[in-house]
């Protein structure tokens, strides 16, 4: 099994104020638009092509690329259709960066860390059990890359240390279904196994 995929919205949900360019609440919308008076007046060239990431409501965890932005009346963002209509309870973020590279790097690190403990990533048959591990390592990696100085005056450095500590704790306390006999099924004795302790590689 491969590690689960994370959208840009999933990553931003981990720390919206740190990773998003803007966070705002929708005043109204549809399946293809968000209207936000709080973000009225942005430059279209700076917004179009960025990601709109939904961090609350039925579209939470979903992102779309902004194809059009109109600011003469209310700030209106247009994008490809969502599964659910946006309303005035929706909170969203704008992100100019694509965080998928950070997700991919985190996957490589996790596979290596698990291998060092004697576990094969392909024997984890339930993606959800590794999702928090992947999110924490992704956030740690992104903050490490964004930091300017390794001191407490740099918010990215401080966040990097916090996410890295949380990742290490999650790895140490990891409980997951693990197909130890490699028969592609999870037997009763393979359900919810505490995998925090290293094992001998067969």
């Amino acid at each position: 099994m491969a590690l689960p995929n994370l959208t840009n919205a999933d990553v931003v949900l981990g720390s919206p104020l740190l990773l998003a360019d803007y966070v705002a609440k929708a005043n109204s919308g549809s399946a293809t638009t968000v209207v936000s008076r709080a973000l009225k007046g942005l430059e279209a060239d700076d917004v179009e092509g960025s990601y709109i990431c939904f961090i609350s409501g039925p579209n939470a965890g979903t992102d779309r690329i902004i194809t059009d932005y109109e600011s003469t009346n209310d700030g209106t963002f247009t994008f490809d259709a969502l599964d659910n209509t946006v309303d005035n309870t929706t909170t969203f973020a704008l992100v100019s960066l694509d965080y998928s590279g950070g997700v991919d790097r985190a996957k490589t690190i996790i596979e290596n860390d698990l291998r060092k403990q004697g576990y094969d990533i392909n024997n984890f048959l339930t993606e959800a059990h590794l999702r928090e591990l992947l999110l924490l390592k992704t956030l740690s990696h992104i903050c490490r890359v964004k930091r300017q100085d390794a001191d407490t005056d740099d918010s990215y450095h401080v966040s990097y240390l916090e996410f890295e500590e949380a990742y290490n704790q999650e790895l140490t306390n990891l409980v997951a279904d693990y197909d130890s006999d490699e028969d592609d099924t999870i037997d009763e004795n393979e359900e919810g196994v505490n995998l925090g302790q290293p094992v001998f590689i067969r």
Side-chain angles (χ1 to χ4, degrees):
M1 181 207 80
L3 283 157
N5 289 318
L6 295 180
T7 64
N8 285 297
D10 290 329
V11 175
V12 170
L13 269 165
S15 189
L17 297 181
L18 190 68
L19 300 182
D21 299 321
Y22 301 95
V23 177
K25 187 169 175 287
N27 295 109
S28 62
S30 68
T32 58
T33 61
V34 165
V35 176
S36 177
R37 290 190 291 273
L39 296 184
K40 176 183 175 181
L42 299 178
E43 293 293 330
D45 289 344
D46 295 335
V47 173
E48 292 171 4
S50 295
Y51 293 89
I52 184 165
C53 302
F54 296 91
I55 57 179
S56 76
N59 294 304
T62 303
D63 55 59
R64 292 288 187 267
I65 294 176
I66 298 167
T67 56
D68 186 67
Y69 171 70
E70 194 280 326
S71 64
T72 54
N73 295 312
D74 294 327
T76 302
F77 304 90
T78 302
F79 40 81
D80 289 343
L82 297 163
D83 291 337
N84 302 286
T85 299
V86 172
D87 61 24
N88 63 1
T89 66
T90 299
T91 303
F92 67 96
L94 301 186
V95 179
S96 57
L97 297 176
D98 181 1
Y99 288 125
S100 61
V103 176
D104 290 342
R105 178 59 183 152
K107 288 181 177 182
T108 299
I109 294 170
I110 291 171
E111 288 183 21
N112 189 49
D113 286 347
L114 289 171
R115 185 169 58 250
K116 288 176 182 177
Q117 292 193 353
Y119 299 109
D120 184 340
I121 194 68
N122 296 307
N123 292 340
F124 291 89
L125 303 187
T126 308
E127 288 188 354
H129 292 174
L130 299 180
R131 193 177 188 281
E132 185 68 11
L133 197 66
L134 177 57
L135 178 59
L136 290 170
K137 177 50 76 173
T138 300
L139 293 169
S140 167
H141 174 72
I142 290 170
C143 289
R144 184 179 65 81
V145 170
K146 282 178 169 283
R147 67 181 179 176
Q148 299 297 313
D149 296 295
D151 59 43
T152 55
D153 293 329
D154 188 320
S155 61
Y156 288 111
H157 175 67
V158 173
S159 296
Y160 157 68
L161 295 177
E162 291 174 350
F163 286 128
E164 188 67 8
E165 180 181 3
Y167 167 77
N168 288 325
Q169 290 178 350
E170 183 73 12
L171 185 63
T172 299
N173 299 313
L174 181 62
V175 174
D177 296 345
Y178 186 75
D179 181 24
S180 55
D181 60 9
E182 300 181 8
D183 65 353
D184 293 326
T185 60
I186 296 297
D187 301 321
E188 185 176 349
N189 65 327
E190 296 172 331
E191 293 180 354
V193 179
N194 187 328
L195 302 173
Q197 299 302 316
V199 299
F200 293 107
I201 301 174
R202 294 190 298 148

